């Protein structure tokens, strides 16, 4: 349902939520190493996230990436929308061109409640609330850890 780009963007933004602030900025290299994501790919994602005002950055010797108070109040759906667009989540689960209530695919009515539930969670929780929830559960932020939790209800 989510592209790797969206997963990496979510993961890295949650990492920033836990480890950065305006006084402690983090380099792409440090984040990439800590969450096991390719650094060049993450750098391109961060350019997009900064342009979309999802994360903040400062250039120079003490520069890096961080979340401002305003960034922390964004939600995960903002990240997905910035990277993939929300239409990716609204498309047919089987990839059919025409799929809606009037012309459903074989799994349409199974998937729609799941999609609505996950979209609500992505929309209704701030980045900081997500980061806190992950921290409270003692989970590590790596692609292997975040992927299954997003996809688990599909089993």
């Amino acid at each position: 349902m989510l592209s790797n780009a969206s997963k990496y963007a979510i993961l890295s933004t949650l990492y920033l939520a836990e480890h950065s602030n305006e006084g402690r900025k983090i380099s792409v290299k440090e984040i990439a190493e800590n969450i096991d994501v390719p650094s060049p790919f993450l750098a391109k994602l961060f350019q997009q996230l900064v342009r979309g005002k999802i994360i903040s950055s400062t250039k120079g010797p003490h520069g890096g990436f961080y979340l401002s108070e305003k960034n922390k109040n964004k939600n995960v759906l903002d990240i997905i929308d910035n990277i993939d667009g929300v239409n990716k989540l609204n498309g047919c689960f089987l990839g059919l061109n025409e799929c809606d209530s009037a012309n459903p695919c074989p799994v349409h009515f199974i998937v729609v409640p799941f999609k609505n539930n996950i979209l609500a969670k992505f929309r209704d929780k701030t980045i900081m609330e997500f980061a806190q929830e992950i921290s409270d559960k003692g989970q590590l932020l790596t692609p292997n850890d975040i992927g299954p939790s997003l996809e688990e209800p599909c089993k």
Side-chain angles (χ1 to χ4, degrees), residues 55-119:
I55 65 173
S56 297
S57 68
T58 303
K59 294 181 181 184
H62 300 289
F65 296 91
Y66 65 98
L67 294 183
S68 68
E69 288 306 312
K70 192 172 183 179
N71 300 141
K72 292 175 183 179
N73 289 316
K74 298 272 186 179
N75 60 49
V76 174
L77 193 58
D78 292 328
I79 300 169
I80 296 166
D81 189 30
N82 181 267
I83 300 298
D84 287 334
V86 179
N87 287 339
K88 179 152 179 123
L89 293 175
N90 292 327
C92 175
F93 187 77
L94 297 179
L96 301 177
N97 288 334
E98 293 184 31
C99 177
D100 56 29
S101 297
N103 186 27
C105 74
V107 296
H108 180 81
F109 293 109
I110 297 167
V111 174
V112 166
F114 160 73
K115 282 204 276 189
N116 290 340
N117 186 16
I118 195 117
L119 282 171

Side-chain angles (χ1 to χ4, degrees), residues 1-14 75-77 79-81 83-84 88-89 93 111 113-123 125-126 130-131 133-134 137 139-155:
M1 228 172 114
L2 294 176
S3 70
N4 280 340
S6 278
K7 288 180 185 180
Y8 292 163
I10 293 167
L11 192 59
S12 57
T13 302
L14 292 174
N75 60 49
V76 174
L77 193 58
I79 300 169
I80 296 166
D81 189 30
I83 300 298
D84 287 334
K88 179 152 179 123
L89 293 175
F93 187 77
V111 174
F114 160 73
K115 282 204 276 189
N116 290 340
N117 186 16
I118 195 117
L119 282 171
K121 187 170 184 176
F122 286 162
R123 183 184 54 247
K125 284 191 176 188
T126 67
F130 255 92
E133 188 176 308
I134 289 168
K137 291 180 179 178
Q139 291 177 306
L140 299 174
L141 291 173
T142 66
N144 293 334
D145 291 330
I146 199 164
S149 67
L150 294 176
E151 297 166 2
E152 193 172 277
C154 294
K155 288 183 180 178

